Short mmCIF file of all heavy atoms in Angstrom, two decimals:
data_model
loop_
_atom_site.label_atom_id
_atom_site.label_comp_id
_atom_site.label_asym_id
_atom_site.label_seq_id
_atom_site.Cartn_x
_atom_site.Cartn_y
_atom_site.Cartn_z
N LEU A 2 -28.37 30.20 -16.84
CA LEU A 2 -29.63 29.69 -17.38
C LEU A 2 -30.26 28.69 -16.38
O LEU A 2 -29.58 28.11 -15.55
CB LEU A 2 -29.38 28.98 -18.71
CG LEU A 2 -28.84 29.81 -19.84
CD1 LEU A 2 -28.53 28.94 -21.04
CD2 LEU A 2 -29.82 30.91 -20.22
N ASP A 3 -31.57 28.57 -16.47
CA ASP A 3 -32.28 27.65 -15.60
C ASP A 3 -32.19 26.25 -16.17
O ASP A 3 -32.82 25.96 -17.21
CB ASP A 3 -33.74 28.08 -15.44
CG ASP A 3 -34.48 27.21 -14.41
OD1 ASP A 3 -33.84 26.34 -13.81
OD2 ASP A 3 -35.70 27.38 -14.23
N THR A 4 -31.39 25.37 -15.56
CA THR A 4 -31.25 24.00 -16.04
C THR A 4 -31.84 23.02 -15.03
O THR A 4 -31.60 21.82 -15.14
CB THR A 4 -29.76 23.67 -16.25
OG1 THR A 4 -29.05 23.82 -14.96
CG2 THR A 4 -29.15 24.57 -17.26
N LEU A 5 -32.64 23.53 -14.11
CA LEU A 5 -33.20 22.68 -13.07
C LEU A 5 -34.45 21.93 -13.59
O LEU A 5 -35.56 22.20 -13.17
CB LEU A 5 -33.55 23.51 -11.82
CG LEU A 5 -33.39 22.77 -10.48
CD1 LEU A 5 -31.96 22.34 -10.29
CD2 LEU A 5 -33.81 23.69 -9.36
N VAL A 6 -34.19 21.07 -14.54
CA VAL A 6 -35.27 20.23 -15.11
C VAL A 6 -34.85 18.80 -15.01
O VAL A 6 -33.66 18.47 -14.92
CB VAL A 6 -35.53 20.63 -16.60
CG1 VAL A 6 -36.09 22.03 -16.66
CG2 VAL A 6 -34.26 20.50 -17.43
N TYR A 7 -35.86 17.93 -15.05
CA TYR A 7 -35.60 16.51 -14.92
C TYR A 7 -35.46 15.84 -16.28
O TYR A 7 -36.35 15.98 -17.13
CB TYR A 7 -36.72 15.84 -14.14
CG TYR A 7 -36.64 14.33 -14.11
CD1 TYR A 7 -35.50 13.68 -13.61
CD2 TYR A 7 -37.67 13.55 -14.64
CE1 TYR A 7 -35.43 12.30 -13.59
CE2 TYR A 7 -37.57 12.15 -14.62
CZ TYR A 7 -36.44 11.55 -14.11
OH TYR A 7 -36.35 10.19 -14.11
N GLN A 8 -34.35 15.18 -16.51
CA GLN A 8 -34.11 14.40 -17.68
C GLN A 8 -33.70 13.02 -17.26
O GLN A 8 -32.67 12.84 -16.60
CB GLN A 8 -33.02 15.04 -18.56
CG GLN A 8 -33.37 16.42 -19.12
CD GLN A 8 -32.25 17.07 -19.90
OE1 GLN A 8 -31.10 16.63 -19.76
NE2 GLN A 8 -32.57 18.06 -20.68
N PRO A 9 -34.49 12.02 -17.58
CA PRO A 9 -34.18 10.64 -17.14
C PRO A 9 -32.78 10.21 -17.59
O PRO A 9 -32.35 10.55 -18.71
CB PRO A 9 -35.27 9.79 -17.78
CG PRO A 9 -36.40 10.74 -18.06
CD PRO A 9 -35.75 12.06 -18.36
N SER A 10 -32.07 9.56 -16.72
CA SER A 10 -30.70 9.12 -17.02
C SER A 10 -30.68 7.59 -17.13
O SER A 10 -31.48 6.88 -16.53
CB SER A 10 -29.74 9.57 -15.89
OG SER A 10 -30.10 8.94 -14.67
N SER A 11 -29.75 7.14 -17.98
CA SER A 11 -29.57 5.68 -18.14
C SER A 11 -28.15 5.35 -17.66
O SER A 11 -27.17 5.86 -18.18
CB SER A 11 -29.75 5.29 -19.60
OG SER A 11 -28.86 5.99 -20.44
N ILE A 12 -28.07 4.54 -16.66
CA ILE A 12 -26.79 4.21 -16.02
C ILE A 12 -26.58 2.71 -16.14
O ILE A 12 -27.37 1.91 -15.65
CB ILE A 12 -26.78 4.64 -14.54
CG1 ILE A 12 -26.95 6.12 -14.43
CG2 ILE A 12 -25.45 4.19 -13.87
CD1 ILE A 12 -26.99 6.60 -12.99
N ASP A 13 -25.50 2.32 -16.82
CA ASP A 13 -25.09 0.91 -16.89
C ASP A 13 -24.09 0.65 -15.79
O ASP A 13 -22.87 0.84 -15.97
CB ASP A 13 -24.52 0.63 -18.28
CG ASP A 13 -24.24 -0.86 -18.49
OD1 ASP A 13 -24.45 -1.64 -17.55
OD2 ASP A 13 -23.78 -1.23 -19.58
N ARG A 14 -24.56 0.21 -14.66
CA ARG A 14 -23.70 0.11 -13.48
C ARG A 14 -22.66 -0.98 -13.65
O ARG A 14 -21.63 -1.01 -12.98
CB ARG A 14 -24.56 -0.16 -12.24
CG ARG A 14 -25.51 0.98 -11.94
CD ARG A 14 -26.39 0.70 -10.76
NE ARG A 14 -25.65 0.52 -9.52
CZ ARG A 14 -26.24 0.27 -8.35
NH1 ARG A 14 -27.56 0.22 -8.27
NH2 ARG A 14 -25.49 0.07 -7.28
N ALA A 15 -22.88 -1.91 -14.55
CA ALA A 15 -21.90 -3.00 -14.79
C ALA A 15 -20.60 -2.51 -15.37
O ALA A 15 -19.54 -3.09 -15.16
CB ALA A 15 -22.49 -4.08 -15.67
N LYS A 16 -20.69 -1.38 -16.13
CA LYS A 16 -19.50 -0.85 -16.79
C LYS A 16 -18.88 0.35 -16.10
O LYS A 16 -17.83 0.81 -16.50
CB LYS A 16 -19.87 -0.47 -18.24
CG LYS A 16 -20.37 -1.62 -19.09
CD LYS A 16 -20.67 -1.11 -20.50
CE LYS A 16 -21.19 -2.25 -21.38
NZ LYS A 16 -21.55 -1.77 -22.74
N LEU A 17 -19.57 0.82 -15.03
CA LEU A 17 -19.10 2.07 -14.43
C LEU A 17 -17.74 1.92 -13.77
O LEU A 17 -16.86 2.76 -13.91
CB LEU A 17 -20.14 2.54 -13.41
CG LEU A 17 -21.49 2.98 -13.96
CD1 LEU A 17 -22.38 3.53 -12.85
CD2 LEU A 17 -21.30 4.04 -15.07
N ILE A 18 -17.55 0.85 -13.02
CA ILE A 18 -16.30 0.69 -12.26
C ILE A 18 -15.12 0.57 -13.20
O ILE A 18 -14.05 1.15 -12.97
CB ILE A 18 -16.40 -0.50 -11.29
CG1 ILE A 18 -17.50 -0.23 -10.22
CG2 ILE A 18 -15.08 -0.81 -10.66
CD1 ILE A 18 -17.65 -1.36 -9.23
N ASP A 19 -15.25 -0.23 -14.27
CA ASP A 19 -14.15 -0.38 -15.21
C ASP A 19 -13.83 0.96 -15.87
O ASP A 19 -12.65 1.29 -16.06
CB ASP A 19 -14.53 -1.39 -16.31
CG ASP A 19 -14.63 -2.81 -15.75
OD1 ASP A 19 -14.02 -3.06 -14.70
OD2 ASP A 19 -15.32 -3.64 -16.38
N GLU A 20 -14.82 1.74 -16.21
CA GLU A 20 -14.60 3.04 -16.78
C GLU A 20 -13.89 3.97 -15.79
O GLU A 20 -12.96 4.72 -16.16
CB GLU A 20 -15.93 3.68 -17.21
CG GLU A 20 -15.78 5.03 -17.88
CD GLU A 20 -17.10 5.63 -18.28
OE1 GLU A 20 -18.14 4.94 -18.13
OE2 GLU A 20 -17.13 6.80 -18.74
N ALA A 21 -14.32 3.90 -14.52
CA ALA A 21 -13.67 4.74 -13.49
C ALA A 21 -12.21 4.38 -13.30
O ALA A 21 -11.34 5.27 -13.15
CB ALA A 21 -14.44 4.62 -12.20
N MET A 22 -11.91 3.10 -13.35
CA MET A 22 -10.53 2.66 -13.17
C MET A 22 -9.63 3.17 -14.31
O MET A 22 -8.43 3.45 -14.13
CB MET A 22 -10.43 1.14 -13.10
CG MET A 22 -11.02 0.55 -11.85
SD MET A 22 -10.18 1.14 -10.33
CE MET A 22 -11.17 0.32 -9.10
N ARG A 23 -10.21 3.31 -15.49
CA ARG A 23 -9.42 3.77 -16.66
C ARG A 23 -9.22 5.28 -16.59
O ARG A 23 -8.20 5.81 -17.04
CB ARG A 23 -10.11 3.41 -17.95
CG ARG A 23 -10.13 1.92 -18.25
CD ARG A 23 -10.50 1.69 -19.74
NE ARG A 23 -11.71 2.40 -20.10
CZ ARG A 23 -12.94 1.84 -20.00
NH1 ARG A 23 -13.06 0.62 -19.51
NH2 ARG A 23 -14.01 2.54 -20.36
N LYS A 24 -10.20 6.03 -16.04
CA LYS A 24 -10.17 7.48 -16.21
C LYS A 24 -9.82 8.22 -14.92
O LYS A 24 -9.49 9.41 -15.00
CB LYS A 24 -11.55 7.96 -16.68
CG LYS A 24 -11.89 7.46 -18.09
CD LYS A 24 -13.20 8.00 -18.54
CE LYS A 24 -13.54 7.59 -19.99
NZ LYS A 24 -14.83 8.12 -20.44
N ARG A 25 -9.91 7.61 -13.76
CA ARG A 25 -9.65 8.34 -12.53
C ARG A 25 -8.18 8.63 -12.39
O ARG A 25 -7.34 7.68 -12.36
CB ARG A 25 -10.14 7.59 -11.30
CG ARG A 25 -11.64 7.60 -11.09
CD ARG A 25 -12.11 8.94 -10.59
NE ARG A 25 -11.73 9.19 -9.21
CZ ARG A 25 -12.49 8.86 -8.17
NH1 ARG A 25 -13.68 8.29 -8.35
NH2 ARG A 25 -12.06 9.13 -6.95
N PRO A 26 -7.76 9.88 -12.31
CA PRO A 26 -6.31 10.18 -12.18
C PRO A 26 -5.75 9.70 -10.84
O PRO A 26 -4.54 9.42 -10.76
CB PRO A 26 -6.26 11.73 -12.28
CG PRO A 26 -7.65 12.17 -11.95
CD PRO A 26 -8.57 11.09 -12.41
N GLU A 27 -6.56 9.59 -9.80
CA GLU A 27 -6.06 9.09 -8.52
C GLU A 27 -5.50 7.69 -8.63
O GLU A 27 -4.48 7.36 -8.00
CB GLU A 27 -7.15 9.15 -7.43
CG GLU A 27 -7.69 10.56 -7.15
CD GLU A 27 -8.96 10.79 -7.90
OE1 GLU A 27 -9.02 10.49 -9.10
OE2 GLU A 27 -9.92 11.28 -7.28
N TYR A 28 -6.21 6.86 -9.40
CA TYR A 28 -5.75 5.50 -9.58
C TYR A 28 -4.44 5.46 -10.35
O TYR A 28 -3.52 4.67 -10.00
CB TYR A 28 -6.83 4.68 -10.27
CG TYR A 28 -6.48 3.20 -10.43
CD1 TYR A 28 -6.34 2.41 -9.30
CD2 TYR A 28 -6.34 2.64 -11.69
CE1 TYR A 28 -6.01 1.06 -9.45
CE2 TYR A 28 -5.99 1.30 -11.82
CZ TYR A 28 -5.85 0.50 -10.68
OH TYR A 28 -5.54 -0.80 -10.82
N ARG A 29 -4.37 6.23 -11.43
CA ARG A 29 -3.10 6.27 -12.15
C ARG A 29 -1.97 6.83 -11.30
O ARG A 29 -0.82 6.35 -11.41
CB ARG A 29 -3.28 7.12 -13.44
CG ARG A 29 -4.24 6.49 -14.43
CD ARG A 29 -4.14 7.19 -15.76
NE ARG A 29 -4.58 8.56 -15.74
CZ ARG A 29 -5.82 8.95 -16.00
NH1 ARG A 29 -6.74 8.07 -16.31
NH2 ARG A 29 -6.14 10.23 -15.92
N GLN A 30 -2.29 7.80 -10.49
CA GLN A 30 -1.23 8.34 -9.58
C GLN A 30 -0.74 7.29 -8.60
O GLN A 30 0.49 7.17 -8.37
CB GLN A 30 -1.80 9.53 -8.79
CG GLN A 30 -1.89 10.80 -9.59
CD GLN A 30 -2.43 11.97 -8.76
OE1 GLN A 30 -3.30 11.80 -7.95
NE2 GLN A 30 -1.89 13.13 -8.99
N ALA A 31 -1.68 6.51 -8.00
CA ALA A 31 -1.25 5.49 -7.08
C ALA A 31 -0.38 4.45 -7.74
O ALA A 31 0.67 4.02 -7.15
CB ALA A 31 -2.53 4.82 -6.47
N ARG A 32 -0.70 4.06 -8.94
CA ARG A 32 0.14 3.07 -9.64
C ARG A 32 1.49 3.66 -10.02
O ARG A 32 2.54 2.97 -9.93
CB ARG A 32 -0.60 2.60 -10.90
CG ARG A 32 -1.88 1.83 -10.58
CD ARG A 32 -2.46 1.18 -11.80
NE ARG A 32 -1.47 0.30 -12.41
CZ ARG A 32 -1.78 -0.77 -13.16
NH1 ARG A 32 -3.02 -1.07 -13.31
NH2 ARG A 32 -0.86 -1.50 -13.70
N LEU A 33 1.52 4.94 -10.44
CA LEU A 33 2.80 5.55 -10.77
C LEU A 33 3.68 5.66 -9.53
O LEU A 33 4.92 5.46 -9.61
CB LEU A 33 2.56 6.93 -11.38
CG LEU A 33 2.01 6.96 -12.82
CD1 LEU A 33 1.57 8.34 -13.19
CD2 LEU A 33 3.09 6.47 -13.81
#
């Protein structure tokens, strides 16, 4: 399907890094 349309995004950059630390498997692998 053609999904090449513009939809404005809302990014809360203050919370992104904390979310990434919780969900990135590479970080969990490094700690393990």
